[in-house]
Amino acid sequence: MMQTKTEIKEEFIKQAELLARGAEVLPGGVMELAMKLQKSKEENKPLRIKLGMDPSRPDLHLGHTVVMRKIKQFQDLGHKIILIVGGGTGMIGDPSGKSDTRPSLTKEQVEKNAQTYFEQISKVVDVEKAEIRNNADWLFDLNFVDMLKLASKVTVAQIMTRDDFAKRYAENRPISVHEFFYPLMQAYDSVVVDADIELGGTDQRFNNLLGREIQSAYGKENPQMVMLLPLLEGTDGIVKMSKSFPEHCISLTDSPKDMYGKLMSISDSLIVKYFALLTEISNEELKEIEEKLKSVNPRDIK
């Protein structure tokens, strides 16, 4: 029988509130997460926290650290971090938020890009304590019958509810059939690694929630929760930070001097958001910064 809210200990509610800061938690929000944290402690079974990253480009940027910092919080609480390199999914390319079909990468391109990922991720996460997996290890082993079985778990109508697919279809832009398999493959990763919680940006809503459905379809009694983090705009304050726009992107491989210069150039409207998503300051300190911005030169706050 499911626990009631009154049965959840305060320490786990506080943990859940910390973890949920700045994030959307589905389903059930903070209290559902608190229940999951408490059950994990009672059963002495760390939660398995999944984060998948496709090595479509060799460099990570400050926007990636938003979700990386969140999994570090889980790691600090004793839970198991599962870092998935998209050796399989990366060869398709995630169509989320894209207006056109993404070019497929070769196996060699994916492997080359992935080489630098863990060095960059280790700036935030303790990689040595993480479980590192490459989804090529299981996706490449699926035969045609396996793929048909996976595809049978979802309908075309469900796939077409994705905003990007729906928009492209309405605008008569081409959608290749192989793109439909990307969210299915990502969801299947959750089955293989037995994820309890999957983290991603808000553009991953459909993919991550599909992971819950596919886990249930493959027999998992308590499918993963989903934690969605805001996407960080680049220094122009308009476009999502991306290596596609290097002039507005702060890469983790940039020199300290370049990082400093780029941060000082961010739009004043981003100051509070950058503090909220990229630092550990308290909500009270965040409110103080908002007040200071009314009278202090934004340059000084940066």
Side-chain angles (χ1 to χ4, degrees):
M1 187 173 69
M2 183 175 286
Q3 293 172 304
T4 63
K5 293 182 180 180
T6 56
E7 294 173 322
I8 304 173
K9 295 179 181 178
E10 185 66 23
E11 65 173 297
F12 298 107
I13 295 175
K14 288 186 177 299
Q15 283 184 16
E17 288 174 342
L18 170 67
L19 292 166
R21 172 176 149 169
E24 181 180 2
V25 182
L26 302 168
V30 169
M31 297 309 293
E32 187 73 21
L33 177 59
M35 287 186 211
K36 210 170 187 72
L37 293 167
Q38 181 165 307
K39 184 178 180 183
S40 165
K41 183 70 172 181
E42 291 171 348
E43 297 179 352
N44 194 28
K45 185 180 179 182
L47 295 174
R48 295 176 63 78
I49 315 299
K50 172 194 172 191
L51 174 64
M53 304 182 81
D54 282 341
S56 55
R57 293 177 182 271
D59 294 338
L60 300 178
H61 54 66
L62 210 57
H64 290 118
T65 69
V66 175
V67 68
M68 287 159 55
R69 289 180 63 258
K70 190 60 67 175
I71 65 169
K72 178 62 162 59
Q73 290 180 333
F74 277 102
Q75 191 175 52
D76 290 343
L77 289 170
H79 299 290
K80 190 67 176 180
I81 304 306
I82 319 297
L83 297 174
I84 298 182
V85 176
T89 45
M91 293 180 69
I92 293 180
D94 185 4
S96 297
K98 304 301 177 185
S99 59
D100 296 292
T101 300
R102 291 183 68 168
S104 297
L105 298 178
T106 66
K107 184 172 182 287
E108 291 70 28
Q109 285 174 313
V110 169
E111 289 177 350
K112 182 179 179 180
N113 290 347
Q115 287 176 358
T116 66
Y117 266 33
F118 295 120
E119 179 181 346
Q120 295 173 67
I121 292 173
S122 67
K123 295 175 183 287
V124 180
V125 178
D126 189 341
V127 174
E128 292 185 2
K129 292 182 179 179
E131 182 178 317
I132 300 171
R133 308 287 294 273
N134 186 331
N135 63 17
D137 294 340
W138 54 84
L139 292 178
F140 287 179
D141 288 340
L142 294 177
N143 59 36
F144 188 63
V145 174
D146 294 329
M147 290 301 291
L148 287 177
K149 180 182 177 182
L150 177 58
S152 72
K153 307 299 183 184
V154 64
T155 67
V156 172
Q158 283 177 285
I159 293 289
M160 291 305 295
T161 61
R162 272 183 47 152
D163 290 342
D164 43 20
F165 285 153
K167 184 177 180 180
R168 283 162 63 183
Y169 184 76
E171 295 174 350
N172 290 318
R173 289 178 174 269
I175 305 173
S176 298
V177 172
H178 78 282
E179 294 182 84
F180 288 167
F181 279 89
Y182 186 95
L184 281 168
M185 293 161 72
Q186 181 176 325
Y188 187 69
D189 291 347
S190 292
V191 174
V192 174
V193 304
D194 193 26
D196 293 307
I197 300 176
E198 179 170 12
L199 275 69
T202 51
D203 60 342
Q204 294 294 310
R205 178 185 301 272
F206 180 90
N207 293 356
N208 292 4
L209 289 174
L210 185 62
R212 282 178 52 81
E213 294 189 36
I214 298 301
Q215 280 185 325
S216 295
Y218 278 82
K220 186 174 176 65
E221 187 175 337
N222 296 304
Q224 67 184 23
M225 293 187 72
V226 169
M227 186 173 284
L228 303 174
L229 281 300
L231 302 178
L232 192 71
E233 291 85 359
T235 57
D236 67 335
I238 301 172
V239 181
K240 181 187 81 169
M241 189 174 290
S242 169
K243 293 298 290 182
S244 300
F245 303 97
E247 67 274 20
H248 303 308
C249 183
I250 304 175
S251 172
L252 297 190
T253 57
D254 283 341
S255 69
K257 181 179 179 181
D258 285 343
M259 282 188 178
Y260 177 80
K262 289 179 180 179
L263 281 168
M264 289 301 291
S265 75
I266 67 171
S267 167
D268 294 346
S269 64
L270 286 178
I271 292 176
V272 172
K273 186 171 186 178
Y274 269 46
F275 265 111
L277 297 180
L278 301 173
T279 76
E280 297 290 346
I281 70 170
S282 66
N283 290 331
E284 290 72 22
E285 290 174 297
L286 199 59
K287 290 178 182 177
E288 289 178 9
I289 289 172
E290 290 178 317
E291 285 300 314
K292 284 182 179 179
L293 280 169
K294 296 176 182 178
S295 57
V296 175
N297 188 326
R299 176 201 60 201
D300 299 335
I301 306 241
K302 293 176 190 179

